[in-house]
Amino acid sequence: MNKVKRMAGMFLFAFTAATTQAQETVANPENADLMRSNGKLYVVVAVVVTILIGLFFYVYSLDRKISKLEKK
């Protein structure tokens, strides 16, 4: 379980670092306004969040299966 917490913390740190880096380098904010006005930005955010949740669930379930095999 400690490994899962450590991995989740690492992913959270990497994601936070990547988003702050991305926010600093935005050169053309009009594109974000255009996507927000069309509603496409929320679709992109929803897809990214869905993918991340799927990855976290997969890693968690894989860790549980491996732990169960190690105990046998």
Side-chain angles (χ1 to χ4, degrees):
M1 193 56 140
N2 192 15
K3 290 180 185 179
V4 174
K5 288 181 183 177
R6 196 174 337 151
M7 287 175 52
M10 183 177 63
F11 282 124
L12 182 64
F13 177 73
F15 182 69
T16 304
T19 54
T20 54
Q21 177 105 16
Q23 289 175 356
E24 291 176 2
T25 59
V26 173
N28 195 0
E30 293 86 22
N31 289 340
D33 292 335
L34 178 66
M35 288 183 72
R36 192 177 298 122
S37 69
N38 291 338
K40 293 179 183 176
L41 185 66
Y42 301 114
V43 173
V44 172
V45 169
V47 168
V48 169
V49 167
T50 304
I51 290 172
L52 286 175
I53 289 172
L55 285 174
F56 283 128
F57 179 73
Y58 174 72
V59 169
Y60 178 72
S61 65
L62 193 62
D63 182 57
R64 286 183 54 198
K65 288 179 184 179
I66 291 171
S67 297
K68 189 184 289 185
L69 286 174
E70 286 176 348
K71 288 180 182 179
K72 285 186 179 182

